[in-house]
Amino acid sequence: MPKNALYAQSGGVTPVINASAYGVISAARRHPDVIGTVYAAQNGILGALDEVLIDTAQLSDADLAALKTTPGGAFGSCRHKLRHGAELTRLFELFAAHDIGYLFYNGGGDSADTCLKVAEFAQYHGYDLTAVHVPKTIDNDLPHSDCSPGFGSVAKYVGTAIREAGLDVASMAASSTKVFILEVMGRHTGWIAASAGLAAQDNDAAPHLILTPEVAFEPGRFLKAVKETIARVGYCTIVAAEGTRDAKGTFLSEAGGADAFGHIQLGGVAPILARLIKDELGHKCHWAVADYLQRAARHIASATDLAQAIAVGEAAVEFAVKGQRSVMPAIIREDSEPYRWRIDAVPLHDVANREKPLPREYLDADGWRLSAEGRAYFAPLIVGEAPPPFVDGLPAYPRWQFSHLPKKLIPFERG
Amino acid sequence: MPKNALYAQSGGVTPVINASAYGVISAARRHPDVIGTVYAAQNGILGALDEVLIDTAQLSDADLAALKTTPGGAFGSCRHKLRHGAELTRLFELFAAHDIGYLFYNGGGDSADTCLKVAEFAQYHGYDLTAVHVPKTIDNDLPHSDCSPGFGSVAKYVGTAIREAGLDVASMAASSTKVFILEVMGRHTGWIAASAGLAAQDNDAAPHLILTPEVAFEPGRFLKAVKETIARVGYCTIVAAEGTRDAKGTFLSEAGGADAFGHIQLGGVAPILARLIKDELGHKCHWAVADYLQRAARHIASATDLAQAIAVGEAAVEFAVKGQRSVMPAIIREDSEPYRWRIDAVPLHDVANREKPLPREYLDADGWRLSAEGRAYFAPLIVGEAPPPFVDGLPAYPRWQFSHLPKKLIPFERG
């Protein structure tokens, strides 16, 4: 009798996380003799603890196809660090009650760690569970995978945004705003900020300066570069990572409290830079903070990223069917030009809770722009368009309301 | 002997201002017996004063076609209020030196005023000039035109952005961010903010609350609405116009100095609202400021807007050829469903320096959401996609370097 599977989305969503859900569910449907039903946890692991499960058998083929074109998390995601003890035990009560033998956990580095813990708990207690982590993060900081599904689409968004804004600034700089700053995400890494460098066809094209956490921010050096760029080009466009920090590691902006994992919420670097430039150089600045817009911009997703998001979902199921446990499907680059990639299984031990910083050599000597090596890395990830359907002028995204499975367990009191 | 034409872009650029340039230039080429060469002023009226002119005969058919798909101002724009006296006189020296008998001035309300002043000066001094204003502004605040070219594309951008971000927030609100704020442009009007309301398929869909300058901001009423929305929907998404102000007319944010027209530079409403919600309701907020991204987002332009931008450019030339002076091609709505429109000439006297506020009845009783009437107005303006070509994953926008006409005048010392 085939065991059922649990699929859960975890952490910040991406423009293509649902494409991985599509990959998992559609691949599982091709192995009915091995995998029974795929249950999706409503709102990630919290839904699992609360036994709020969605039987994905209710998704029609059209629903499945729509997963490929809808941003956000179709089943809901969460930021919750699974606790040892009561929570982990509860999860296995859920597994037992719903005959779950497969876990497909779709998330980033924190989630890989959770997935591994669940797998280890199962092994220790002799519970027959195949746990596979499905990679996802716009931050691109997962080790052992050449890139992370979600990242390529965000890179395409920020590249498009700074190229477009750059043309806007260029056309008015002679008499108006000379400096434009775009703040992008990326947590403690500069992957997203650096990827915007793809938009620059030459040294005078936007973005002129990229700020990453990997290169310590020095106000004097920065202001000098802004000044020189304005003198040379007539204006200056800047892409700043939210995690931009100085040599001591102090973030330019610490906008709020910490999340469930103890991460500080970043944001607000752009207005701080604008103030610095205004005060020190006297230039009025315009600035934009893309925030969730970049992370949800399915309308300008990368077709390459979409294909990889689907592929890791499908591969996770294929690995599980073959009996591979505690692994993550990783994207392996075979060549950059022409771009070729495959998917390999890497042990979760090697992935969990580790951040992959942007290699310094992906930036030029100054750290302001992409090096040739960096460009070669990023270029293929944004290639191809995969727009969603549009109805009445807007992307047509379904707003699913799924019915939930009847509960079998007594309610769980979360601490 | 046909007289030459001067085309100049003025004020903030739009995703489709170059489509109007295409309309003017291509229509003028169809009347070689009436209009000689179209000269474009580099950086708008400043280029005219400095005698930095581009002979658009150098634009190939492919260049002309590319104008339709490129944001920013291809010939450069500026914010400069033309001064009576020396500047106005200088302009007519330029006209005489380059045998210019037609002025096509592509801008918003301020520019319409400038265009009118030039026309009046010509008439007073007996200079044979046909001045036609080509409308453009993302703010949609030009009177007598049903909408302004540029606006529909920005409306499509903000509608897409808030729908996408709304799905992102929805998928994580159970355990993470419950409030998202998107700040949009629009100066003193709420046209752009209100248009985002198209994204809401029903009362529980994003955007939940729209803040416009036309509805006085009251913190207590706003916080109550945020609280009620979170209680009902589980989260709350807000679109705030940069010009949001209280009953006394005080802007929530006055971020910088005034521009050449004495307008205060707005911006920074989103972080202020985020702070208010955090302090008073205790909710962590995410916020985005779209700034130039919305104004340059040619990648998601409205096909309807694009068609109208081209049409007003072409109509300006046709009006001029027929001898109509000091007019503006205005878009007249004939019907909303199905949407039908035509272009009529309206006297510049009726347009110059007047702002058209968002009608209060386009919002519901609370002022938070679109009324049926508002929806009927906005809906057709965002219809249709007209993506630019993409190369290597990014929109392919030319970076023109135009050669300039040999100068005939002595240099002009701007005051």
Side-chain angles (χ1 to χ4, degrees):
Chain A
M1 199 47 197
K3 293 267 190 180
N4 298 319
L6 181 71
Y7 169 80
Q9 302 182 324
S10 178
V13 291
T14 84
V16 296
I17 185 173
N18 296 327
S20 293
Y22 162 84
V24 167
I25 297 166
S26 59
R29 287 187 184 182
R30 290 194 287 272
H31 295 286
D33 49 334
V34 184
I35 299 177
T37 296
V38 177
Y39 298 130
Q42 183 80 55
N43 300 328
I45 206 72
L46 291 177
L49 295 176
D50 295 339
E51 204 190 3
V52 185
L53 300 183
I54 297 155
D55 185 345
T56 64
Q58 71 189 278
L59 275 76
S60 66
D61 286 349
D63 290 336
L64 276 190
L67 283 175
K68 290 189 280 186
T69 60
T70 307
F75 308 109
S77 184
C78 70
R79 292 199 187 280
H80 178 78
K81 201 163 178 69
L82 190 71
R83 294 188 193 113
H84 275 281
E87 290 194 350
L88 207 43
T89 306
R90 167 69 174 194
L91 198 59
F92 281 85
E93 288 173 13
L94 179 99
F95 290 169
H98 295 279
D99 202 23
I100 289 167
Y102 301 90
L103 171 66
F104 299 106
Y105 204 47
N106 200 172
D110 296 320
S111 313
D113 181 58
T114 301
C115 191
L116 180 60
K117 272 184 194 146
V118 173
E120 287 170 343
F121 187 94
Q123 193 171 18
Y124 187 79
H125 292 277
Y127 186 96
D128 183 20
L129 180 79
T130 301
V132 178
H133 187 250
V134 185
K136 162 244 71 165
T137 172
I138 63 162
D139 299 333
N140 206 38
D141 58 359
L142 282 173
H144 296 288
S145 190
D146 182 65
C147 60
S148 305
F151 171 70
S153 293
V154 176
K156 189 183 186 86
Y157 172 95
V158 298
T160 298
I162 196 64
R163 175 171 286 181
E164 291 184 330
L167 288 171
D168 189 307
V169 178
S171 52
M172 306 200 55
S175 66
S176 186
T177 308
K178 287 182 173 51
V179 181
F180 174 75
I181 305 158
L182 171 61
E183 174 177 330
V184 300
M185 289 178 150
R187 293 245 284 236
H188 301 142
T189 71
W191 289 103
I192 293 177
S195 73
L198 287 176
Q201 303 97 330
D202 57 53
N203 270 335
D204 288 351
H208 303 94
L209 302 176
I210 297 169
L211 303 183
T212 63
E214 286 82 358
V215 178
F217 180 78
E218 300 166 33
R221 200 172 78 90
F222 170 70
L223 290 166
K224 187 160 170 280
V226 172
K227 206 172 167 181
E228 283 173 0
T229 304
I230 294 173
R232 191 180 80 248
V233 186
Y235 60 97
C236 181
T237 63
I238 299 156
V239 173
E242 63 182 353
T244 300
R245 52 192 166 189
D246 65 19
K248 288 179 187 161
T250 305
F251 295 112
L252 259 69
S253 166
E254 306 192 351
D259 71 9
F261 296 95
H263 302 144
I264 289 162
Q265 190 194 350
L266 302 174
V269 168
I272 288 168
L273 293 170
R275 173 58 57 193
L276 180 70
I277 293 166
K278 170 91 176 146
D279 288 349
E280 299 297 325
L281 302 180
H283 292 297
K284 181 182 104 175
C285 299
H286 262 257
W287 50 269
V289 177
D291 196 64
Y292 287 164
L293 304 192
Q294 70 202 286
R295 196 173 88 170
R298 180 61 187 83
H299 77 273
I300 190 137
S302 154
T304 301
D305 184 36
L306 178 66
Q308 292 177 337
I310 295 170
V312 293
E314 291 175 334
V317 169
E318 298 302 332
F319 291 153
V321 166
K322 285 181 197 144
Q324 287 186 276
R325 294 180 173 203
S326 304
V327 294
M328 178 186 90
I331 297 160
I332 310 296
R333 185 181 299 221
E334 296 181 343
D335 205 347
S336 284
E337 214 169 341
Y339 182 50
R340 289 186 299 111
W341 53 277
R342 67 171 194 279
I343 299 219
D344 281 358
V346 297
L348 270 183
H349 272 290
D350 298 349
V351 178
N353 262 335
R354 288 170 54 191
E355 277 182 3
K356 180 175 67 177
L358 177 73
R360 180 62 184 80
E361 60 269 26
Y362 283 8
L363 300 173
D364 66 7
D366 288 332
W368 302 132
R369 300 172 72 86
L370 281 185
S371 65
E373 196 178 342
R375 185 168 287 271
Y377 169 77
F378 288 114
L381 307 183
I382 66 167
V383 168
E385 291 66 60
F390 278 70
V391 174
D392 296 336
L394 291 175
Y397 298 135
R399 298 175 68 220
W400 285 290
Q401 295 288 340
F402 298 114
S403 62
H404 295 134
L405 225 57
K407 296 191 182 192
K408 298 181 175 182
L409 302 172
I410 56 167
F412 178 67
E413 292 293 325
R414 283 195 262 129
Chain B
M1 202 39 203
K3 293 270 193 179
N4 298 319
L6 180 71
Y7 168 79
Q9 302 182 324
S10 178
V13 291
T14 84
V16 296
I17 185 173
N18 294 328
S20 292
Y22 162 84
V24 167
I25 298 167
S26 59
R29 287 187 183 183
R30 292 194 286 270
H31 295 284
D33 49 333
V34 185
I35 299 176
T37 295
V38 177
Y39 297 130
Q42 183 79 55
N43 300 327
I45 205 73
L46 291 177
L49 295 176
D50 295 338
E51 204 190 2
V52 185
L53 300 183
I54 296 156
D55 185 346
T56 64
Q58 71 189 278
L59 275 77
S60 67
D61 287 348
D63 289 335
L64 277 190
L67 283 174
K68 290 189 280 186
T69 59
T70 307
F75 308 110
S77 184
C78 69
R79 294 200 187 277
H80 178 76
K81 199 163 179 72
L82 191 72
R83 295 189 191 111
H84 276 282
E87 289 195 350
L88 206 44
T89 306
R90 167 70 174 195
L91 198 59
F92 281 85
E93 287 172 13
L94 179 98
F95 290 168
H98 295 279
D99 203 24
I100 288 166
Y102 301 90
L103 171 65
F104 298 107
Y105 204 46
N106 200 172
D110 296 319
S111 314
D113 181 59
T114 301
C115 191
L116 181 60
K117 272 183 192 145
V118 173
E120 288 170 343
F121 187 95
Q123 193 172 19
Y124 186 79
H125 291 278
Y127 186 96
D128 184 20
L129 181 78
T130 301
V132 178
H133 187 250
V134 185
K136 163 244 69 160
T137 173
I138 64 162
D139 299 332
N140 206 38
D141 57 358
L142 282 172
H144 294 290
S145 191
D146 182 64
C147 60
S148 305
F151 170 70
S153 293
V154 176
K156 189 184 187 84
Y157 173 93
V158 298
T160 298
I162 196 64
R163 175 172 286 182
E164 292 184 330
L167 288 171
D168 189 308
V169 178
S171 51
M172 305 198 56
S175 65
S176 186
T177 308
K178 288 183 171 50
V179 182
F180 174 76
I181 305 159
L182 171 62
E183 174 177 330
V184 301
M185 289 177 149
R187 292 245 284 239
H188 301 143
T189 70
W191 289 102
I192 293 177
S195 73
L198 288 175
Q201 303 97 329
D202 58 53
N203 271 336
D204 288 351
H208 303 96
L209 302 175
I210 297 168
L211 303 183
T212 64
E214 286 82 358
V215 178
F217 181 77
E218 300 166 32
R221 201 172 77 90
F222 169 70
L223 289 166
K224 186 160 172 280
V226 172
K227 205 172 165 180
E228 283 174 359
T229 304
I230 294 172
R232 192 180 78 248
V233 186
Y235 61 98
C236 181
T237 62
I238 299 157
V239 173
E242 62 182 355
T244 300
R245 51 192 167 191
D246 65 17
K248 288 177 186 162
T250 306
F251 295 111
L252 256 69
S253 166
E254 306 193 354
D259 70 9
F261 295 94
H263 303 144
I264 288 164
Q265 187 195 351
L266 302 176
V269 168
I272 288 169
L273 292 171
R275 175 56 58 191
L276 180 69
I277 292 166
K278 171 88 175 143
D279 288 349
E280 299 297 324
L281 301 181
H283 291 297
K284 182 183 103 173
C285 299
H286 262 257
W287 50 270
V289 177
D291 195 63
Y292 287 164
L293 304 192
Q294 70 201 287
R295 196 172 88 168
R298 179 61 186 82
H299 78 272
I300 189 134
S302 153
T304 301
D305 184 37
L306 178 67
Q308 293 178 335
I310 296 170
V312 294
E314 291 175 334
V317 169
E318 298 302 333
F319 292 152
V321 166
K322 285 181 196 145
Q324 286 186 275
R325 295 180 171 201
S326 304
V327 294
M328 177 187 90
I331 298 161
I332 311 296
R333 183 180 301 220
E334 296 181 341
D335 205 346
S336 284
E337 214 167 343
Y339 182 51
R340 289 185 300 110
W341 54 277
R342 67 172 194 276
I343 300 224
D344 281 358
V346 298
L348 270 184
H349 273 290
D350 298 347
V351 179
N353 263 335
R354 288 170 52 192
E355 276 181 3
K356 180 175 67 175
L358 176 74
R360 180 61 183 82
E361 60 269 25
Y362 283 8
L363 300 173
D364 67 7
D366 288 332
W368 301 132
R369 301 172 72 86
L370 282 185
S371 65
E373 196 177 342
R375 184 167 286 270
Y377 169 77
F378 288 113
L381 307 182
I382 66 167
V383 168
E385 291 67 60
F390 278 71
V391 173
D392 297 335
L394 292 175
Y397 299 135
R399 298 176 66 220
W400 285 291
Q401 295 288 340
F402 298 115
S403 62
H404 296 134
L405 225 57
K407 294 190 181 192
K408 298 181 175 182
L409 303 172
I410 57 167
F412 178 67
E413 291 293 323
R414 283 194 263 131

mmCIF file with all atom_site columns, all heavy atoms in Angstrom, chain A residues 201-213:
data_model
loop_
_atom_site.group_PDB
_atom_site.id
_atom_site.type_symbol
_atom_site.label_atom_id
_atom_site.label_alt_id
_atom_site.label_comp_id
_atom_site.label_asym_id
_atom_site.label_entity_id
_atom_site.label_seq_id
_atom_site.pdbx_PDB_ins_code
_atom_site.Cartn_x
_atom_site.Cartn_y
_atom_site.Cartn_z
_atom_site.occupancy
_atom_site.B_iso_or_equiv
_atom_site.pdbx_formal_charge
_atom_site.auth_seq_id
_atom_site.auth_comp_id
_atom_site.auth_asym_id
_atom_site.auth_atom_id
_atom_site.pdbx_PDB_model_num
ATOM 1  N N   . GLN A 1 201 ? 24.958 47.407 -20.071 1.00 0.00 ? 201 GLN A N   1
ATOM 2  C CA  . GLN A 1 201 ? 25.579 46.960 -21.330 1.00 0.00 ? 201 GLN A CA  1
ATOM 3  C C   . GLN A 1 201 ? 27.027 47.427 -21.413 1.00 0.00 ? 201 GLN A C   1
ATOM 4  O O   . GLN A 1 201 ? 27.825 46.869 -22.136 1.00 0.00 ? 201 GLN A O   1
ATOM 5  C CB  . GLN A 1 201 ? 24.826 47.516 -22.543 1.00 0.00 ? 201 GLN A CB  1
ATOM 6  C CG  . GLN A 1 201 ? 23.352 47.162 -22.615 1.00 0.00 ? 201 GLN A CG  1
ATOM 7  C CD  . GLN A 1 201 ? 22.452 48.255 -22.066 1.00 0.00 ? 201 GLN A CD  1
ATOM 8  O OE1 . GLN A 1 201 ? 22.857 49.002 -21.161 1.00 0.00 ? 201 GLN A OE1 1
ATOM 9  N NE2 . GLN A 1 201 ? 21.253 48.342 -22.584 1.00 0.00 ? 201 GLN A NE2 1
ATOM 10 N N   . ASP A 1 202 ? 27.343 48.507 -20.705 1.00 0.00 ? 202 ASP A N   1
ATOM 11 C CA  . ASP A 1 202 ? 28.715 49.011 -20.693 1.00 0.00 ? 202 ASP A CA  1
ATOM 12 C C   . ASP A 1 202 ? 28.931 49.769 -19.387 1.00 0.00 ? 202 ASP A C   1
ATOM 13 O O   . ASP A 1 202 ? 28.031 49.848 -18.548 1.00 0.00 ? 202 ASP A O   1
ATOM 14 C CB  . ASP A 1 202 ? 28.987 49.898 -21.912 1.00 0.00 ? 202 ASP A CB  1
ATOM 15 C CG  . ASP A 1 202 ? 28.012 51.060 -21.997 1.00 0.00 ? 202 ASP A CG  1
ATOM 16 O OD1 . ASP A 1 202 ? 27.871 51.803 -20.998 1.00 0.00 ? 202 ASP A OD1 1
ATOM 17 O OD2 . ASP A 1 202 ? 27.379 51.237 -23.054 1.00 0.00 ? 202 ASP A OD2 1
ATOM 18 N N   . ASN A 1 203 ? 30.111 50.359 -19.229 1.00 0.00 ? 203 ASN A N   1
ATOM 19 C CA  . ASN A 1 203 ? 30.476 50.974 -17.952 1.00 0.00 ? 203 ASN A CA  1
ATOM 20 C C   . ASN A 1 203 ? 29.652 52.203 -17.606 1.00 0.00 ? 203 ASN A C   1
ATOM 21 O O   . ASN A 1 203 ? 29.630 52.633 -16.455 1.00 0.00 ? 203 ASN A O   1
ATOM 22 C CB  . ASN A 1 203 ? 31.958 51.365 -17.963 1.00 0.00 ? 203 ASN A CB  1
ATOM 23 C CG  . ASN A 1 203 ? 32.818 50.232 -17.451 1.00 0.00 ? 203 ASN A CG  1
ATOM 24 O OD1 . ASN A 1 203 ? 32.337 49.390 -16.695 1.00 0.00 ? 203 ASN A OD1 1
ATOM 25 N ND2 . ASN A 1 203 ? 34.070 50.199 -17.871 1.00 0.00 ? 203 ASN A ND2 1
ATOM 26 N N   . ASP A 1 204 ? 29.013 52.802 -18.611 1.00 0.00 ? 204 ASP A N   1
ATOM 27 C CA  . ASP A 1 204 ? 28.243 54.015 -18.354 1.00 0.00 ? 204 ASP A CA  1
ATOM 28 C C   . ASP A 1 204 ? 26.751 53.751 -18.212 1.00 0.00 ? 204 ASP A C   1
ATOM 29 O O   . ASP A 1 204 ? 25.965 54.680 -18.032 1.00 0.00 ? 204 ASP A O   1
ATOM 30 C CB  . ASP A 1 204 ? 28.493 55.046 -19.465 1.00 0.00 ? 204 ASP A CB  1
ATOM 31 C CG  . ASP A 1 204 ? 29.886 55.648 -19.355 1.00 0.00 ? 204 ASP A CG  1
ATOM 32 O OD1 . ASP A 1 204 ? 30.562 55.389 -18.339 1.00 0.00 ? 204 ASP A OD1 1
ATOM 33 O OD2 . ASP A 1 204 ? 30.296 56.354 -20.290 1.00 0.00 ? 204 ASP A OD2 1
ATOM 34 N N   . ALA A 1 205 ? 26.373 52.484 -18.308 1.00 0.00 ? 205 ALA A N   1
ATOM 35 C CA  . ALA A 1 205 ? 24.948 52.149 -18.228 1.00 0.00 ? 205 ALA A CA  1
ATOM 36 C C   . ALA A 1 205 ? 24.571 51.745 -16.806 1.00 0.00 ? 205 ALA A C   1
ATOM 37 O O   . ALA A 1 205 ? 25.400 51.293 -16.024 1.00 0.00 ? 205 ALA A O   1
ATOM 38 C CB  . ALA A 1 205 ? 24.625 51.018 -19.194 1.00 0.00 ? 205 ALA A CB  1
ATOM 39 N N   . ALA A 1 206 ? 23.306 51.907 -16.475 1.00 0.00 ? 206 ALA A N   1
ATOM 40 C CA  . ALA A 1 206 ? 22.789 51.537 -15.163 1.00 0.00 ? 206 ALA A CA  1
ATOM 41 C C   . ALA A 1 206 ? 22.819 50.026 -14.976 1.00 0.00 ? 206 ALA A C   1
ATOM 42 O O   . ALA A 1 206 ? 22.609 49.296 -15.936 1.00 0.00 ? 206 ALA A O   1
ATOM 43 C CB  . ALA A 1 206 ? 21.352 52.047 -15.027 1.00 0.00 ? 206 ALA A CB  1
ATOM 44 N N   . PRO A 1 207 ? 23.096 49.537 -13.783 1.00 0.00 ? 207 PRO A N   1
ATOM 45 C CA  . PRO A 1 207 ? 23.427 50.284 -12.570 1.00 0.00 ? 207 PRO A CA  1
ATOM 46 C C   . PRO A 1 207 ? 24.919 50.635 -12.523 1.00 0.00 ? 207 PRO A C   1
ATOM 47 O O   . PRO A 1 207 ? 25.759 49.826 -12.887 1.00 0.00 ? 207 PRO A O   1
ATOM 48 C CB  . PRO A 1 207 ? 23.099 49.285 -11.459 1.00 0.00 ? 207 PRO A CB  1
ATOM 49 C CG  . PRO A 1 207 ? 23.361 47.943 -12.062 1.00 0.00 ? 207 PRO A CG  1
ATOM 50 C CD  . PRO A 1 207 ? 23.005 48.076 -13.532 1.00 0.00 ? 207 PRO A CD  1
ATOM 51 N N   . HIS A 1 208 ? 25.196 51.838 -12.041 1.00 0.00 ? 208 HIS A N   1
ATOM 52 C CA  . HIS A 1 208 ? 26.587 52.288 -11.998 1.00 0.00 ? 208 HIS A CA  1
ATOM 53 C C   . HIS A 1 208 ? 27.327 51.796 -10.769 1.00 0.00 ? 208 HIS A C   1
ATOM 54 O O   . HIS A 1 208 ? 28.519 51.523 -10.822 1.00 0.00 ? 208 HIS A O   1
ATOM 55 C CB  . HIS A 1 208 ? 26.625 53.818 -12.072 1.00 0.00 ? 208 HIS A CB  1
ATOM 56 C CG  . HIS A 1 208 ? 25.935 54.344 -13.284 1.00 0.00 ? 208 HIS A CG  1
ATOM 57 N ND1 . HIS A 1 208 ? 24.616 54.732 -13.282 1.00 0.00 ? 208 HIS A ND1 1
ATOM 58 C CD2 . HIS A 1 208 ? 26.369 54.489 -14.560 1.00 0.00 ? 208 HIS A CD2 1
ATOM 59 C CE1 . HIS A 1 208 ? 24.269 55.123 -14.509 1.00 0.00 ? 208 HIS A CE1 1
ATOM 60 N NE2 . HIS A 1 208 ? 25.313 54.986 -15.297 1.00 0.00 ? 208 HIS A NE2 1
ATOM 61 N N   . LEU A 1 209 ? 26.611 51.694 -9.674  1.00 0.00 ? 209 LEU A N   1
ATOM 62 C CA  . LEU A 1 209 ? 27.240 51.234 -8.428  1.00 0.00 ? 209 LEU A CA  1
ATOM 63 C C   . LEU A 1 209 ? 26.337 50.187 -7.768  1.00 0.00 ? 209 LEU A C   1
ATOM 64 O O   . LEU A 1 209 ? 25.137 50.396 -7.617  1.00 0.00 ? 209 LEU A O   1
ATOM 65 C CB  . LEU A 1 209 ? 27.433 52.409 -7.463  1.00 0.00 ? 209 LEU A CB  1
ATOM 66 C CG  . LEU A 1 209 ? 28.269 53.597 -7.959  1.00 0.00 ? 209 LEU A CG  1
ATOM 67 C CD1 . LEU A 1 209 ? 28.262 54.709 -6.910  1.00 0.00 ? 209 LEU A CD1 1
ATOM 68 C CD2 . LEU A 1 209 ? 29.690 53.167 -8.275  1.00 0.00 ? 209 LEU A CD2 1
ATOM 69 N N   . ILE A 1 210 ? 26.948 49.091 -7.396  1.00 0.00 ? 210 ILE A N   1
ATOM 70 C CA  . ILE A 1 210 ? 26.226 48.025 -6.691  1.00 0.00 ? 210 ILE A CA  1
ATOM 71 C C   . ILE A 1 210 ? 26.799 47.916 -5.281  1.00 0.00 ? 210 ILE A C   1
ATOM 72 O O   . ILE A 1 210 ? 28.016 47.841 -5.105  1.00 0.00 ? 210 ILE A O   1
ATOM 73 C CB  . ILE A 1 210 ? 26.386 46.680 -7.436  1.00 0.00 ? 210 ILE A CB  1
ATOM 74 C CG1 . ILE A 1 210 ? 25.763 46.782 -8.842  1.00 0.00 ? 210 ILE A CG1 1
ATOM 75 C CG2 . ILE A 1 210 ? 25.746 45.544 -6.645  1.00 0.00 ? 210 ILE A CG2 1
ATOM 76 C CD1 . ILE A 1 210 ? 26.102 45.603 -9.740  1.00 0.00 ? 210 ILE A CD1 1
ATOM 77 N N   . LEU A 1 211 ? 25.920 47.940 -4.306  1.00 0.00 ? 211 LEU A N   1
ATOM 78 C CA  . LEU A 1 211 ? 26.354 47.777 -2.907  1.00 0.00 ? 211 LEU A CA  1
ATOM 79 C C   . LEU A 1 211 ? 25.920 46.409 -2.406  1.00 0.00 ? 211 LEU A C   1
ATOM 80 O O   . LEU A 1 211 ? 24.742 46.077 -2.451  1.00 0.00 ? 211 LEU A O   1
ATOM 81 C CB  . LEU A 1 211 ? 25.733 48.869 -2.017  1.00 0.00 ? 211 LEU A CB  1
ATOM 82 C CG  . LEU A 1 211 ? 26.011 50.319 -2.419  1.00 0.00 ? 211 LEU A CG  1
ATOM 83 C CD1 . LEU A 1 211 ? 25.391 51.271 -1.396  1.00 0.00 ? 211 LEU A CD1 1
ATOM 84 C CD2 . LEU A 1 211 ? 27.501 50.571 -2.538  1.00 0.00 ? 211 LEU A CD2 1
ATOM 85 N N   . THR A 1 212 ? 26.893 45.643 -1.937  1.00 0.00 ? 212 THR A N   1
ATOM 86 C CA  . THR A 1 212 ? 26.615 44.304 -1.428  1.00 0.00 ? 212 THR A CA  1
ATOM 87 C C   . THR A 1 212 ? 27.171 44.157 -0.015  1.00 0.00 ? 212 THR A C   1
ATOM 88 O O   . THR A 1 212 ? 28.114 44.866 0.357   1.00 0.00 ? 212 THR A O   1
ATOM 89 C CB  . THR A 1 212 ? 27.293 43.228 -2.309  1.00 0.00 ? 212 THR A CB  1
ATOM 90 O OG1 . THR A 1 212 ? 28.715 43.413 -2.227  1.00 0.00 ? 212 THR A OG1 1
ATOM 91 C CG2 . THR A 1 212 ? 26.865 43.341 -3.760  1.00 0.00 ? 212 THR A CG2 1
ATOM 92 N N   . PRO A 1 213 ? 26.611 43.245 0.762   1.00 0.00 ? 213 PRO A N   1
ATOM 93 C CA  . PRO A 1 213 ? 27.163 43.004 2.104   1.00 0.00 ? 213 PRO A CA  1
ATOM 94 C C   . PRO A 1 213 ? 28.579 42.438 2.051   1.00 0.00 ? 213 PRO A C   1
ATOM 95 O O   . PRO A 1 213 ? 29.316 42.545 3.030   1.00 0.00 ? 213 PRO A O   1
ATOM 96 C CB  . PRO A 1 213 ? 26.202 41.969 2.697   1.00 0.00 ? 213 PRO A CB  1
ATOM 97 C CG  . PRO A 1 213 ? 24.955 42.058 1.887   1.00 0.00 ? 213 PRO A CG  1
ATOM 98 C CD  . PRO A 1 213 ? 25.398 42.458 0.515   1.00 0.00 ? 213 PRO A CD  1
#
